[in-house]
Amino acid sequence: MWSWVAHRVTGVLIFFFLFVHVLDTALVRVSPEDYDKVVATYKTPIVALLEYGLVAAILFHALNGLRVIAVDFWSKGPRYQKQMFWTVMGVWIVLMLGAIYPVLGHAYRVLFGS
């Protein structure tokens, strides 16, 4: 049940991110100066945390989507869906731990120095 809800919520969050991304990228044609100001705000530590959340949403949505495909198209999928869910969560946690430094490293250096 909760994986179904999380899959829908992450899908909506990713959609809104893509919408905002298209809008801010289109800003470069309208006003390059404003585009530069927007991009400058993306280099703040708060936005780095939001990027980490985006990575979390994308990874969960992708991994859970593969689980949903396996449940739908593998004859034994419904029988093993709970085990596949916990496998997805384990892989997701490992990947999120691996994403800490690449995504949050710049924010750490900004806040605490090199």
Side-chain angles (χ1 to χ4, degrees):
M1 164 73 181
W2 288 111
S3 70
W4 181 88
V5 171
H7 195 74
R8 277 28 178 211
V9 168
T10 56
V12 169
L13 291 174
I14 293 166
F15 171 78
F16 282 120
F17 162 76
L18 290 173
F19 181 72
V20 170
H21 179 64
V22 168
L23 288 178
D24 73 4
T25 303
L27 189 60
V28 76
R29 304 282 266 155
V30 176
S31 174
E33 297 82 19
D34 289 337
Y35 174 78
D36 290 338
K37 290 177 189 174
V38 170
V39 169
T41 64
Y42 292 162
K43 296 177 182 174
T44 63
I46 292 171
V47 174
L49 287 173
L50 293 173
E51 285 177 345
Y52 191 69
L54 177 64
V55 170
I58 291 171
L59 281 175
F60 178 80
H61 193 80
L63 293 170
N64 194 53
L66 293 173
R67 182 188 71 86
V68 169
I69 290 169
V71 168
D72 286 347
F73 292 108
W74 181 35
S75 62
K76 296 180 183 177
R79 184 180 322 157
Y80 295 111
Q81 73 173 352
K82 188 177 280 191
Q83 292 89 338
M84 286 189 290
F85 171 75
W86 289 112
T87 302
V88 162
M89 292 307 295
V91 171
W92 180 76
I93 288 170
V94 168
L95 291 174
M96 288 307 297
L97 289 173
I100 288 174
Y101 181 74
V103 177
L104 297 176
H106 175 71
Y108 180 83
R109 288 187 296 279
V110 167
L111 290 173
F112 303 110
S114 298

